[in-house]
Amino acid sequence: MTTSDTGLDRVLGAKTGQALESALGLSTVGDLLRHYPRRYAERGELTAIAGLELDEHVTVLAKVERVSKRTMKSRRGTIVEARITDGHRSLTCTFFNQAWRERELLPGRQGMFAGKVTAYRGSFQLAHPEYQLFDGEDAEQAGSVAEEFAAALIPVYPSAQGLPSWSISRCVRQVLDTWDGADDPLPEALRAEHHLLGLETALRKIHRPQDQSEVAAAQNRLKWDEALAVQLVLARLRETVHEHPAPSCPRREDGLLAEFDRRLPFQLTAGQTEIGTEIAADLAAEQPMNRLVQGEVGSGKTVVALRGMLQVVDAGRQAAMLAPTEVLASQHARSLAELLGDLGAAGQLGAAEQSTKITLLTGSLPAAARKKALLEAASGEAGIVVGTHALIQDRVSFADLGLVVVDEQHRFGVEQRDALRARGGAESAPHVLVMTATPIPRTVAMTVYGDLETSALRELPSGRSPISTSVVPVAEKPSWLDRAWERVREEVAAGHQVYVVCPRIGDDEQNPPKKGGKKPRTDDGVEEPEDAGAGSDERRPPLAVLDVAERLRQGPLERLRIGVLHGRLAADDKDAVMRGFADGKLDVLVATTVVEVGVNVPNATVMVIMDADRFGVSQLHQLRGRVGRGSAPGLCLLVSEAMGGTSTRERLDAVASTTDGFELARLDLELRREGDVLGEAQSGRRSGLKMLSLLRDEDVIAEARDEAQRYVADDPGLRRHPGLARMVAEVVDEDRAGYLEKS
């Protein structure tokens, strides 16, 4: 019998089984059948070449436009270049010392071409691609090829070097011919109610469909499997919430919060008032709050968080605020102290009658100060404790932790947040409030799943100016970069300042090729000639702060006052550079992402981000928030070599088109896929979500949530539904279930 658990080596042979496991991590029949086609090509429908990405391993359906052969200039041998096209754009396929390719790749022939996209002299190419031609006399005579491409729909699979899509397709065909099927985990009544295919039928049709309607029906069933599995996990987690209630912290009308509100020198915005009411209700309940507050830098998130912390202090408990860096933690502590005034000076001369104490706890505190801060947290003397990851170390304890506020959540791992949450004690879990200026894709995913309450401060911050963002496509329009540096000089001449951000520091980070080293070799072992794009398989290193600063000093920004800031500088040197920039003694600050948070220079009006495609959407949005903080409008320039039409370029264009953090997070989720919602990206595990889109399939998710709640309420352990329990284990393993629980 061939079951889903059968090893691929037993069905396909040891060599093929090993290739699938090493290249794609597929070891069983079930693994291969869950390796779904990325898309389906129709005969005669060519692949859009404009959407290809550099360094991506692709399979394209294209037509040969022309082919040429020439002799290498610097050594013996020939180069065959075949130009393939989709009718709009072309791509070069290059072959070294394989002259016979010229006779096979005749103009007008169609086929599938697979290889890694590289760049040579500003154009994309495939070096030594694998290909299968399926028109013309030769292809018709080759029975296996003709059969492979006879179907109206040709499945195109995620592939790898040495395993093109058509090879995977043949493996799937061979497995399906011997597969004995699988038990369906979904109850028959549920399938009937939602008009779902059986599992075996769905898996067969997803790989060998006759038409698009069969693809849609199969995809709908397989999406249900993934949606229901995750919703069952979340439903079971929600059932356990009541076992560890949160400390109830009802609002007092005569407490510290009421006095703070009475003294406020400004009026809360409508958004701050509304969100404050929601948080107050959450804190008064015995179910742990798990709320996300999204708002641009300066939109009032800190005041919202502080009012929640004061409500907890009024209830006799403590609040902890966790920041991603010591700079930001110190800034938060100062901001809270300034906002509270004598209400935050407990134990000091001149403190208000009802006041609390703010304690800063970071890793760099001197031993005596650290010991004092630890004692204040453990004894309960400190009502509010602000710090970095030092707050979640084993030595830190709290007298009665009621609320955890996490700032810039995308900078913390889930395990770190969970460790802090555990400081609430064995009897209860503290409430959790997450603040961010840019929700990350995982946060949006959990929002769609309904596991996180969300609030948004959407008003333009008071005193902030609008920020315009433009992409500078240096590969297509190199003159635009010259204009960008002219724009920088204009801003400096107007009395403003500029950030230039690079992905890396430079110097010892670089790894230049060793002198006398061998030239790169092609796939067949032939040394690749210089005139054929030697070494073009490798992307150049990201631009470095030290290199860019020197080029700017000697070139387009000559005679401007340029400073350098990065993480390897000593703390005193960092402070000196930042003070110099803040005081207007520097015109341009060339830096890494150390300026992403905790830096406030209202006179800075321009942010130039070099190699912007090397940054995530969240980082780009955060960096952009460093400008436009004063009365003058801000400008952000995203410099990139990404070609138009690629998903990388689409991502940059989207960042340029909106300043809405939620919208950007949804876009990032679309581009990156959602698999990490089930586990850490760093773990290296394959995603449990392969078919489901958290944005496009919200209806399926909503229906699956209702079904999951019904099944779990009736059968919490799913003992009467072993198929569902098995499905949960397959899609969401124990580690991922624990990860979700920590979220």
Side-chain angles (χ1 to χ4, degrees), residues 110-113 130-134 145 149 166 170:
Q110 288 189 14
M112 299 186 83
F113 300 80
E130 299 174 88
Y131 60 84
Q132 286 276 22
L133 301 173
F134 52 84
V145 176
F149 299 108
W166 55 85
R170 288 175 185 170

Side-chain angles (χ1 to χ4, degrees), residues 256-567:
L256 192 55
L257 173 57
E259 180 62 19
F260 173 75
D261 284 348
R262 190 182 67 79
R263 295 187 185 188
L264 266 181
F266 53 84
Q267 187 171 357
L268 295 174
T269 65
Q272 287 175 318
T273 302
E274 180 182 350
I275 294 171
T277 301
E278 293 170 345
I279 291 173
D282 289 345
L283 293 175
E286 293 187 356
Q287 180 173 329
M289 174 177 70
N290 196 15
R291 181 173 293 276
L292 167 72
V293 175
Q294 186 262 5
E296 302 300 332
V297 175
S299 61
K301 296 189 302 294
T302 302
V303 171
V304 168
L306 176 55
R307 295 182 72 244
M309 289 190 280
L310 293 179
Q311 181 171 329
V312 168
V313 172
D314 277 340
R317 295 184 169 88
Q318 295 168 286
M321 189 173 198
L322 184 60
T325 66
E326 292 198 4
V327 170
L328 196 55
S330 299
Q331 183 173 306
H332 275 312
R334 285 194 301 272
S335 297
L336 295 178
E338 289 169 3
L339 284 167
L340 285 174
D342 60 354
L343 294 176
Q348 300 177 35
L349 194 63
E353 184 177 346
Q354 48 180 356
S355 59
T356 190
K357 186 178 185 63
I358 301 171
T359 292
L360 176 66
L361 178 55
T362 62
S364 64
L365 283 177
R370 178 174 172 75
K371 183 177 180 180
K372 181 173 181 289
L374 287 169
L375 184 59
E376 289 171 350
S379 66
E381 180 183 350
I384 298 174
V385 182
V386 183
T388 59
H389 63 278
L391 288 184
I392 59 175
Q393 294 175 353
D394 291 338
R395 290 182 57 198
V396 181
S397 61
F398 294 86
D400 190 354
L401 186 60
L403 171 64
V404 174
V405 178
V406 181
D407 189 28
E408 296 307 338
Q409 167 243 13
H410 71 284
R411 301 286 289 267
F412 286 92
V414 173
E415 282 77 10
Q416 288 177 302
R417 297 203 304 276
D418 184 60
L420 182 56
R421 186 186 281 135
R423 293 293 181 266
E427 299 302 320
S428 64
H431 300 283
V432 176
L433 179 65
V434 173
M435 302 193 303
T436 180
T438 307
I440 58 170
R442 189 173 175 284
T443 303
V444 179
M446 298 307 293
T447 301
V448 175
Y449 278 134
D451 201 48
L452 225 154
E453 298 294 331
T454 63
S455 304
L457 290 166
R458 297 187 180 273
E459 296 100 330
L460 185 67
S462 176
R464 292 293 300 272
S465 300
I467 304 171
S468 61
T469 306
S470 298
V471 177
V472 180
V474 292
E476 299 162 274
K477 300 177 180 178
S479 63
W480 283 32
L481 184 58
D482 297 333
R483 174 61 188 131
W485 299 128
E486 289 176 11
R487 188 75 179 82
V488 167
R489 297 192 76 98
E490 290 168 6
E491 284 295 308
V492 172
H496 299 303
Q497 293 165 278
V498 177
Y499 295 100
V500 177
V501 174
C502 303
R504 51 194 287 270
I505 299 171
D507 254 358
D508 57 348
E509 288 182 336
Q510 297 183 21
N511 294 301
K514 295 178 181 178
K515 291 184 178 180
K518 293 184 178 180
K519 289 179 177 288
R521 291 181 177 269
T522 58
D523 292 338
D524 59 1
V526 178
E527 286 190 0
E528 190 173 341
E530 292 179 5
D531 60 354
S536 61
D537 277 359
E538 298 297 328
R539 292 181 74 184
R540 63 162 174 76
L543 291 173
V545 166
L546 300 178
D547 297 336
V548 169
E550 192 58 31
R551 288 180 210 163
L552 294 178
R553 286 190 184 108
Q554 297 180 10
L557 303 187
E558 188 180 5
R559 292 191 299 276
L560 295 188
R561 298 171 299 172
I562 298 175
V564 169
L565 182 68
H566 55 75

Side-chain angles (χ1 to χ4, degrees), residues 80 211 264 468 535 614 633 696:
V80 172
D211 52 42
L264 266 181
S468 61
R614 311 274 185 146
R696 293 187 299 272

Side-chain angles (χ1 to χ4, degrees), residues 95-114:
F95 304 89
F96 303 103
N97 291 329
Q98 297 180 26
W100 57 272
R101 302 280 190 186
E102 184 183 24
R103 299 189 298 273
E104 185 170 274
L105 294 168
L106 300 175
R109 300 193 67 177
Q110 288 189 14
M112 299 186 83
F113 300 80

Side-chain angles (χ1 to χ4, degrees), residues 194 196 220-228 700 703-704 707:
H194 295 281
L196 300 175
N220 187 52
R221 163 56 207 261
L222 298 171
K223 288 175 181 178
W224 256 91
D225 283 12
E226 296 177 3
L228 186 59
V700 172
E703 292 177 358
E707 292 289 356

Side-chain angles (χ1 to χ4, degrees), residues 668-714:
D668 210 18
L669 183 59
E670 281 278 17
L671 294 175
R672 295 184 184 215
R673 297 292 299 168
E674 309 72 7
D676 290 345
V677 72
L678 298 181
E680 292 181 286
Q682 294 86 354
S683 68
R685 291 189 295 245
R686 293 195 310 278
S687 164
L689 296 185
K690 301 179 181 181
M691 186 66 67
L692 190 71
S693 167
L694 302 183
L695 301 180
R696 293 187 299 272
D697 300 319
E698 292 186 49
D699 291 345
V700 172
I701 292 169
E703 292 177 358
R705 182 189 300 128
D706 293 340
E707 292 289 356
Q709 289 174 341
R710 183 163 61 84
Y711 278 104
V712 170
D714 179 60

